[in-house]
Amino acid sequence: MKKIIILLGPPGAGKGTVGEKLSKLLNFPLISTGDLLRENVKEKTELGIKAKEYMEKGELVPDNIVFSVLFERIKNDDCKYGFILDGFPRNINQAENLNKLLEDGKTKVIYLKADDDFLIRRLSNRRICEKCGAIYHLINLPPKVEGICDKCGGKLIQRDDDKEEVVRNRLKVYHNLTSPLLNYYGNKGILFQVDATKKLEEIVSEIIKIEKNNG
Ligand code: AP5
């Protein structure tokens, strides 16, 4: 049976950072709809051009665009035993469509919890590699050489949507459209809450325990 881990949480909660570690430890691919969309924006594909106008305002990209990038990706062979989702689903319609697709899968949802003020502060110090997308934090998880990616030598930049006014809108969108998923998955008995303000190693080991101990 396929295993699916959904990382659910507000912007900056650490879905990408935690997901990367889990992916290595559990040997499942990490699939981030944000990264898939950013690749399309960078390549100026038809979908990317449409997605860009929503992403730069911090709005959700229309479901049909997100479905086409995601469903194409999870058809790949590396997803046949399971995968980790970062940033999907983000509304009830996306969750319902995912259910249909994964009828034979075993899903666990990890809710990375943190409050808005903490997240706004955290995101102001995030930097990403413009080449490979690796995630850094100027204070907590800095690169070895300032401004340069440890993994590929690419240049570190600030994401366009990490400007404070856009972050505030992303948080608003999260509270309106994504947070109802907490009840949705809570009612199904598959939601597990983790404190996203803890040290990365603690968060990861908590999730590994949840993964091993809860069927
Ligand atoms: P997306 O890329 O998914 O952004 P997000 O959900 O807003 O999440 P972030 O990537 O900002 O944060 P994160 O939780 O991954 O945190 P990170 O690990 O980087 O989406 C971007 C846009 O794409 C959306 O606004 C929307 O337009 C569109 N989109 C994407 N998916 C969509 C969908 N399904 N439907 C519709 N539209 C969609 O960590 C943050 C910082 O904290 C980093 O600097 C990191 O180094 C640091 N950090 C993380 N964890 C720790 C820790 N434990 N200790 C210390 N520092 C830490």
Side-chain angles (χ1 to χ4, degrees):
M1 190 190 274
K2 231 180 216 178
K3 276 193 175 183
I4 294 98
I5 299 177
I6 295 174
L7 298 174
L8 183 65
K15 303 179 293 295
T17 306
V18 169
E20 205 212 316
K21 296 265 178 213
L22 288 177
S23 166
K24 285 195 185 119
L25 290 167
L26 299 171
N27 211 15
F28 285 140
L30 172 67
I31 300 172
S32 152
T33 43
D35 285 349
L36 292 172
L37 290 166
R38 277 186 288 279
E39 273 162 33
N40 276 273
V41 171
K42 201 163 147 190
E43 302 292 321
K44 297 195 168 67
T45 66
E46 205 180 310
L47 291 180
I49 292 166
K50 284 190 197 138
K52 188 170 186 260
E53 58 178 296
Y54 297 90
M55 294 174 79
E56 57 196 15
K57 288 187 231 144
E59 300 292 333
L60 292 192
V61 170
D63 288 351
N64 63 327
I65 297 181
V66 181
F67 292 152
S68 51
V69 293
L70 177 73
F71 295 163
E72 194 54 36
R73 173 66 184 87
I74 60 185
K75 274 193 226 149
N76 283 6
D77 204 43
D78 64 342
C79 293
K80 75 178 165 204
Y81 300 114
F83 47 85
I84 303 168
L85 284 174
D86 156 9
F88 186 95
R90 254 178 152 96
N91 59 32
I92 301 283
N93 183 45
Q94 293 185 5
E96 298 280 358
N97 275 274
L98 184 66
N99 286 347
K100 282 185 218 149
L101 202 80
L102 301 175
E103 269 162 2
D104 61 337
K106 173 98 188 141
T107 304
K108 280 186 194 148
V109 182
I110 308 294
Y111 167 37
L112 293 169
K113 184 175 190 286
D115 68 39
D116 288 9
D117 288 343
F118 175 89
L119 294 166
I120 290 167
R121 276 199 308 280
R122 189 187 247 184
L123 283 177
S124 67
N125 284 311
R126 171 165 62 184
R127 296 294 181 271
I128 61 160
C129 172
E130 69 175 351
K131 222 157 130 195
C132 73
I135 307 165
Y136 297 87
H137 187 279
L138 295 181
I139 299 156
N140 303 333
L141 302 160
K144 292 191 184 100
V145 179
E146 198 185 318
I148 305 290
C149 177
D150 296 349
K151 291 177 188 151
C152 75
K155 189 175 152 205
L156 301 188
I157 54 162
Q158 186 161 34
R159 258 169 56 176
D160 286 341
D161 61 352
D162 276 350
K163 289 180 205 118
E164 188 172 328
E165 70 276 15
V166 185
V167 170
R168 286 189 188 277
N169 193 41
R170 285 160 60 203
L171 285 164
K172 203 165 105 196
V173 170
Y174 169 80
H175 291 299
N176 289 338
L177 298 173
T178 308
S179 67
L181 291 174
L182 298 174
N183 270 338
Y184 178 87
Y185 286 120
N187 291 337
K188 289 180 185 287
I190 55 170
L191 184 79
F192 301 87
Q193 181 174 309
V194 175
D195 178 353
T197 67
K198 286 187 179 170
K199 288 211 170 84
L200 185 57
E201 298 69 35
E202 286 177 62
I203 296 174
V204 171
S205 76
E206 243 179 83
I207 300 174
I208 298 282
K209 264 190 224 144
I210 294 169
E211 177 51 29
K212 303 244 177 292
N213 294 339
N214 291 279

